[in-house]
Amino acid sequence: MPVPPSARRVKPSRYISVDIEADGPIPGPYSMLSLGAAVAGTQDADGFTAADPERLTFYRELRPISEEFVPEALAVSGLDRDRLRAEGVEPGVALAEFTDWVREVSAGAQPVMCGYPASYDWTFLYWYLIRFTGASPFGHSGCLDMKTLYATKAGLPLRAVAKGTMPRHLLSKRRHTHHALDDAIEQAELFANLMRWPGRPAPGPVPD
């Protein structure tokens, strides 16, 4: 089917896989401790083109912003809050550097954050961007949830979806390590596979 001229005038989307590690459920009382990102690919009027997820990446470890933390959440990342208090990057500096990086890798396109699931990572990322830089390079809604993308293409209820329910050929062969950059790269591969996947065919009509 020909692409209408109006669609060709729309800027491409540059998809950036983002993973964060935090020490609690919400930003503010709790802290984002690390931020990893990898360019996953570009979508324009002609379709989606995957990127090498290891080529354009970003990673920072951040200084905590409060004394509160949930031990179980902190244990997931394996990060040391005492070390980060001494060595972590100030959040304002880290998020300004991240914004500059997003703008650089998205030249000529509109950046879109993608995550699996995006809700937790986006909550921390957007809050930190607004709190410490005053703006988001993704705007207020430039976010795509890979879990929703899969559920839609697979024709499944969202709450029935987990990585274990996905066909193996869609999953990255990389391990999920809970290191923010490792996981951003892993998720970039998952995203590219999902974008190229035609999905499951819709069920046919039920015979009389």
Side-chain angles (χ1 to χ4, degrees):
M1 179 182 295
V3 177
S6 59
R8 293 191 174 275
R9 290 196 294 268
V10 175
K11 266 189 172 184
S13 290
R14 183 75 29 82
Y15 294 105
I16 298 173
S17 171
V18 174
D19 186 81
I20 69 99
E21 297 297 329
D23 60 14
I26 57 171
Y30 304 103
S31 306
M32 179 166 69
L33 301 179
S34 63
L35 166 62
V39 174
T42 304
Q43 186 177 24
D44 59 19
D46 296 317
F48 175 77
T49 303
D52 174 355
E54 292 186 318
R55 192 171 75 84
L56 297 171
T57 63
F58 180 93
Y59 181 71
R60 294 291 186 276
E61 294 182 354
L62 285 69
R63 186 169 297 174
I65 60 172
S66 83
E67 295 303 312
E68 295 185 55
F69 67 95
V70 177
E72 294 82 1
L74 183 62
V76 169
S77 69
L79 292 166
D80 184 329
R81 279 176 50 94
D82 291 335
R83 179 181 67 80
L84 292 178
R85 271 195 290 267
E87 301 176 4
V89 181
E90 286 291 345
V93 173
L95 273 297
E97 291 173 341
F98 177 70
T99 296
D100 289 344
W101 177 82
V102 170
R103 289 174 176 158
E104 179 183 345
V105 300
S106 301
Q110 293 179 312
V112 177
M113 177 271 193
C114 56
Y116 186 97
S119 52
Y120 181 75
D121 304 85
W122 175 257
T123 297
F124 273 88
L125 179 64
Y126 186 73
W127 189 93
Y128 264 70
L129 284 165
I130 298 303
R131 171 66 180 81
F132 292 106
T133 73
S136 163
F138 304 103
H140 69 276
S141 61
C143 168
L144 191 154
D145 176 38
M146 297 183 208
K147 194 169 184 177
T148 303
L149 177 61
Y150 174 74
T152 302
K153 286 194 166 192
L156 293 172
L158 181 65
R159 297 304 293 270
V161 171
K163 285 184 181 177
T165 70
M166 294 183 177
R168 293 186 64 84
H169 68 85
L170 293 177
L171 301 175
S172 170
K173 293 182 172 59
R174 301 172 189 267
R175 286 193 313 115
H176 194 80
T177 66
H178 292 290
H179 182 284
L181 181 54
D182 288 348
D183 292 353
I185 292 171
E186 177 223 352
Q187 290 172 176
E189 291 185 340
L190 171 62
F191 179 77
N193 292 339
L194 287 170
M195 289 294 284
R196 291 183 294 227
W197 184 47
R200 289 184 176 143
V206 177
D208 293 334

